[in-house]
């Protein structure tokens, strides 16, 4: 077969065909996860109207856009159209990040009636890294309130150091961009709190601690170690 | 502001191209004040609600002014104009903490004045000719401007600017604006931070954008800025 002058992609496909191998990669379609509670169950901390918009509209939009972008990316990849692949990368990051971040966020929250403070290994880790839960919150909240524009506040785990780290990310950048495993994320895009708290982001951040699902955070920490 | 400035020497700086909407005279200032809206809080209804203007101007914009004053008081920065503050705080791309507040004070001043009751429609005269020349048509300008607002991921602003004698559409994140680019002069801006539209249309940013373009743009003001920029 004429391999001279073939592009790398053509070469690879020719070789695979020659060896009788077929390579196919199924495009995985993402979907909106269900919430583990009803829209109204996080009241009075987050009202039902916010929860419904946040889940059904905002998160759904990330999923829909992500699927559309991923399909375009796969097509460009197949054609070897690297210019399009590069042009799509920011949309991929934004929409995949949005999907990942919100999927984590929903599991990080629990109705106030089911709230339990952290315990066991998680509590030990919090105390060893921050002195106390209160101290951790006293750093987390102002740091997250200070995010410029849209973004997230995070409690993350560093696989390298074994430490718990407080971080923030801009827009929908996932925490993995900071080299950390996300344990707890708090959305501070205005859509997460505006209808109820308006510009008073610190009030939202004060109240969110009443609905953090520490069991879920503990599970994530265990899985990360 | 009167008594604080009695006896102060007012300087007219003709060498400084004044892009902001404040007076051209430059003077030592004790602190910035929140510029009043150019219209009443309900003047843009039904397109933008009174509630939105009440919170957007009365709380968000006011907080940027207050926070900036706190940051600059007793510092040499307190003696600069807002535009000078913005350029200085931008610090060639490594912005200092004052930048976010200073940028947002300017951006919001510029935004309120980019809108008016019974706005929208089409520009006329030289501005219209320039738009048709540089975009091909007014429709194409609208398409590009709306797309800039819709694709600004996260918080930010869409702009019409003059650059090198040509008009173009740009977008900026968070508090950034064309003042930090010496080649550009801002002519029109649209706020696409969620707080600009969330009370009115929630997640439907494209609806807000269409309403802004079709019903709110103060083309007379844009034309004034365009004439000044030439």
């Amino acid at each position: 077969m004429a391999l001279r002058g073939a592009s790398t992609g053509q070469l690879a496909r020719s070789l695979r065909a020659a060896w009788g191998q077929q390579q196919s990669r199924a495009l995985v379609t993402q979907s909106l996860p269900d919430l583990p509670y009803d829209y109204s169950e996080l009241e009075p901390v987050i009202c039902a109207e916010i929860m419904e918009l946040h889940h059904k509209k905002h998160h759904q939009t990330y999923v829909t856009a992500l699927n559309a972008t991923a399909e375009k990316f796969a097509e460009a990849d197949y054609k070897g159209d690297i210019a399009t692949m590069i042009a799509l990368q920011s949309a991929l990051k934004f929409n995949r990040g949005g999907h990942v971040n919100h999927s984590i966020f929903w599991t990080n929250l629990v109705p106030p009636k089911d709230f339990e403070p952290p315990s066991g290994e998680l509590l030990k880790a919090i105390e060893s890294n921050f002195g106390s839960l209160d101290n951790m919150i006293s750093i987390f909240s102002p740091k997250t309130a200070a995010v410029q524009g849209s973004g997230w506040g995070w409690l993350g785990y560093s696989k390298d150091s074994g430490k718990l780290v407080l971080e923030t990310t801009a827009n929908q950048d996932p925490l993995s961009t900071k080299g950390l495993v996300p344990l707890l994320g708090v959305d501070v895009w205005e859509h997460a709190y505006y209808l109820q708290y308006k510009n008073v982001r610190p009030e939202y951040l004060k109240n969110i601690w009443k609905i953090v699902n520490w069991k879920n955070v503990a599970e994530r920490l265990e899985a990360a170690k | 502001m009167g008594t604080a400035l009695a006896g102060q020497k007012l300087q007219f700086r003709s060498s400084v191209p004044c892009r902001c909407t404040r007076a051209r005279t430059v003077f030592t200032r004790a602190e910035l004040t929140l510029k009043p809206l150019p219209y009443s809080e309900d003047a843009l209804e039904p397109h933008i609600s009174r509630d939105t203007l009440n919170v957007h101007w009365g709380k968000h914009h006011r907080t940027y002014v207050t926070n900036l004053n706190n940051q600059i008081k007793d510092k040499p920065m307190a003696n600069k104009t807002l535009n000078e503050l913005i350029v200085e705080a931008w610090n060639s791309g490594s912005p200092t903490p004052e930048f976010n507040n200073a940028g947002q004070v300017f951006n919001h001043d510029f935004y309120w004045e980019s809108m008016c009751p019974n706005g929208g429609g089409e520009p006329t005269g030289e501005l219209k000719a320039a738009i048709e020349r540089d975009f091909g048509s007014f429709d194409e300008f609208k398409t590009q401007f709306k797309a800039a607002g819709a694709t600004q991921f996260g918080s930010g602003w869409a702009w019409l600017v003059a650059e090198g004698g040509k008009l173009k559409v740009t977008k900026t994140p968070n508090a950034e604006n064309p003042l930090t680019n010496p080649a550009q002069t801002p002519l029109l801006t649209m706020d696409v931070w969620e707080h600009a539209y969330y009370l009115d249309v929630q997640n439907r940013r494209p609806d807000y954008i269409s309403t802004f373009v079709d019903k709110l743009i103060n083309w007379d003001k844009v034309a004034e800025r365009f004439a000044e920029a030439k």
Side-chain angles (χ1 to χ4, degrees), chain A residues 49 53-54 57-58 61 90-91 94-95 148-150 171 189-192 194-195 198-199 201, chain B residues 52 55-56 59-60 63-64 100-101 153-155 174-175 193-196 198-199 202-203 205:
Chain A
E49 195 186 357
L53 279 164
H54 204 172
K57 306 280 179 184
H58 290 276
T61 300
S90 65
F94 180 66
N95 289 301
Q148 292 298 328
S150 309
N171 300 327
W189 279 64
E190 285 171 327
H191 65 239
Y194 204 77
L195 293 180
K198 309 270 180 7
N199 64 310
R201 193 190 265 179
Chain B
T52 293
V55 181
H56 196 175
K59 304 212 161 122
H60 289 273
T63 301
Y64 290 125
N100 285 309
N101 290 313
F153 291 153
S155 311
N174 299 339
W193 283 60
E194 287 178 323
H195 64 238
Y198 213 82
L199 295 182
Q202 294 78 62
N203 61 304
R205 191 193 280 193

Side-chain angles (χ1 to χ4, degrees), chain A residues 3 20 25 28 54 94 97 104 106 113 119-120 126 175 201 204 210 221:
Chain A
L3 296 179
R25 198 177 298 160
V28 178
H54 204 172
F94 180 66
I104 294 170
W106 307 136
K113 63 173 168 52
S119 59
I126 287 173
L175 190 61
R201 193 190 265 179
Y204 159 70
K210 301 175 187 165
L221 178 60

Side-chain angles (χ1 to χ4, degrees), chain A residues 142-218:
Chain A
K143 190 182 171 80
T144 301
V147 166
Q148 292 298 328
S150 309
W152 291 75
W154 298 96
L155 171 65
Y157 173 76
S158 164
K159 285 198 204 262
D160 288 344
S161 67
K163 287 190 187 306
L164 297 187
V165 179
L166 296 179
E167 248 307 351
T168 60
T169 54
N171 300 327
Q172 293 299 351
D173 293 358
L175 190 61
S176 51
T177 55
K178 303 265 169 131
L180 299 169
V181 177
L183 305 180
L184 166 66
V186 178
D187 190 349
V188 287
W189 279 64
E190 285 171 327
H191 65 239
Y193 59 88
Y194 204 77
L195 293 180
Q196 188 172 345
Y197 294 93
K198 309 270 180 7
N199 64 310
V200 195
R201 193 190 265 179
E203 189 67 19
Y204 159 70
L205 286 169
K206 187 165 143 228
N207 288 337
I208 197 101
W209 299 105
K210 301 175 187 165
I211 56 171
V212 168
N213 185 343
W214 290 110
K215 258 173 63 180
N216 177 263
V217 179

Side-chain angles (χ1 to χ4, degrees), chain A residues 133-145:
Chain A
L133 176 63
D134 279 350
N135 198 48
M136 187 195 93
I137 291 174
S138 76
I139 304 169
F140 187 114
S141 290
K143 190 182 171 80
T144 301

Side-chain angles (χ1 to χ4, degrees), chain B residues 18-90:
Chain B
C18 181
R19 298 194 196 106
C20 79
T21 52
R22 295 178 191 279
R24 285 177 174 278
T25 45
V26 176
F27 45 83
T28 304
R29 192 197 338 97
E31 61 171 34
L32 283 151
T33 53
L34 175 64
K35 213 171 166 190
L37 281 173
Y39 30 73
S40 61
E41 283 179 9
D42 61 0
L44 301 184
E45 296 225 352
H47 312 304
I48 296 186
S49 66
R50 170 213 289 263
D51 277 353
T52 293
L53 286 196
N54 182 266
V55 181
H56 196 175
W57 173 81
K59 304 212 161 122
H60 289 273
H61 192 177
R62 188 185 302 278
T63 301
Y64 290 125
V65 173
T66 305
N67 289 351
L68 180 59
N69 282 330
N70 287 336
Q71 283 174 321
I72 65 177
K73 78 178 166 198
D74 303 326
K75 289 190 189 159
M77 265 183 163
N79 294 330
K80 309 238 163 165
T81 64
L82 180 62
N83 290 26
E84 288 170 340
L85 258 172
I86 288 168
V87 172
E88 186 178 312
W90 176 243

Side-chain angles (χ1 to χ4, degrees), chain B residues 113-180:
Chain B
E113 290 169 1
S114 293
M115 297 187 288
C116 61
N118 304 312
E122 296 201 11
T124 56
E126 290 195 40
L127 175 59
K128 176 173 185 182
I131 286 177
E132 287 171 349
R133 178 197 68 206
D134 296 332
F135 291 98
S137 66
F138 180 58
D139 276 350
E140 179 57 25
F141 154 74
K142 285 197 286 185
T143 300
Q144 285 190 29
F145 190 78
K146 289 183 183 181
T151 60
Q152 178 50 44
F153 291 153
S155 311
W157 303 77
W159 301 87
L160 174 66
V161 303
E163 181 174 348
K166 294 228 174 296
L167 298 182
K168 64 190 244 200
V169 163
T170 64
K171 58 187 181 181
T172 57
N174 299 339
E176 292 180 33
N177 61 45
L179 294 186
T180 57

